[in-house]
Structures are given as structure tokens and as C-alpha cells.
Amino acid sequence: MTLPITPITEDDIAQYLAATPGFFERHAELLASVTFASPHGQRAVSLHERQAEMLRDKIKLLEQRVMEMVRHSNENAAIAGKVHQWARQLAGVRWAAEVPQAVEQGIRTLFDVPQVALRVWGVAPAHLNAPFTQGVSEDVRAFASSLTMPFCGPNLGFEATAWLQDAQEARSLALLPLREGAIDSADSPAFGLVVLASHDAQRFDATMGTDFLVRMAELASSALSRLQ
């Protein structure tokens, strides 16, 4: 009885070559005789040349990744410097009633945000009639307390956009809750909300990183807590 012959597959060949590194030492002529179509043209290249091309492509890809990392590092360093400068400005505000304006002005100028508005509640009696306490509904307060991280995304008609100077031009938003302690402390109700708005729909995208926005929210919370 003749047993059927199982054909050799490409996987079999690959496994054999991987398990037998001395094969090409015994058959070195194959390295020069085997040719491939080059992805960079119509000519045929040897195995050596093809490996060199693959290495160059990998090196180019790694170089691009390194350049991206350097660019992101420089951008993050620049933003960190602006956050530090903003924190110094807020710390230097003498009167509590001037802090809201300092928060808004610093965000607009240092971080190039076209529109900024904020509201706080639960303030001391001396600030009850201040502009930065007006137009806050219970829904807005509940919404702010529900945020444990900055909201970034399109303008979906949030009630808080009415605080902006030109709400119709706000195509993307970042909403920063203000609360004592860390921004993600769900046990601490919010005492305010900061609205950042841009006419650029991609400026505040739902997929963007929020690390710096978290720091900004916590710095603003610390500064604005003087109003309570």
C-alpha cells in the first residue's frame, strides 16, 4: 500500500530554514543567485540587496518616529512652560474678585483659545452679584459635578455655551469642572465650570489627550476657591 505524499508547504520551508541556520553557509551561492522584484522600481535585486532595502525602510520609519517623539516632546515642554507661567500669574492676583478674569485672560492669551468663559457658585456673600456667578442653572451644576475629567468634543448645544461672547462660532469645546482637590474626585461636587471654545472643529477633539487640561482645571479650581 502506497501512502500519499504530503506536499511541502512554504511554512515547512520557512521552519526548516529557521531551524537550520547553516543552510546558507553551505549554499552561499544562493544568496547571490536568488532575486526579488524591488519595491522601488522594476529591476530585480539580489537577496542581499533586498535585505539592505528592508533595513533602510525600517531605519527611515524609526527616524520618522524619533522625529515625531522629539516634536511632541518640544510641544509638551512649551505647554508645560505656559502652564507654569499661568500658575504664577494666578498666584500673583491680589484680590479674589479679580481671579476669574485672570483665569480667562490667561487661557486666551497663553494658550491661544479664542473664547473662554467661566461660572462659579457657592461663593461668599461679597461675590453673589458678580457677573461670574450669573446664569447658572441647577442642570449646569449637576452636569459639572458629573464630570470627572475634561470634556472635549463638538459643540452639542450645551447650556454653558450661553456664557460665551459668540456661542454661534463655537464649533468645538473643552469643559473643565472646578472642584476641591483632584478633578476626578466624584465625591466632591463641582463649584464651577470653565468653557473653552474654538471655531476650529478639530481644536478640541474627543480623542485628544487631556493631561494638560486636567492640570489647568485643578490650577483654576485652586485659584477660584478663594471666592468661596
Side-chain angles (χ1 to χ4, degrees), residues 151-156 158 171-175 196 201 204-206 208:
F151 167 87
C152 297
N155 182 2
L156 302 177
F158 294 101
R171 299 186 62 193
S172 64
L173 303 172
L175 305 177
L196 283 59
F204 300 110
D205 184 79
M208 69 182 293

Side-chain angles (χ1 to χ4, degrees), residues 23 184 214:
F23 176 84
D184 60 356
V214 167

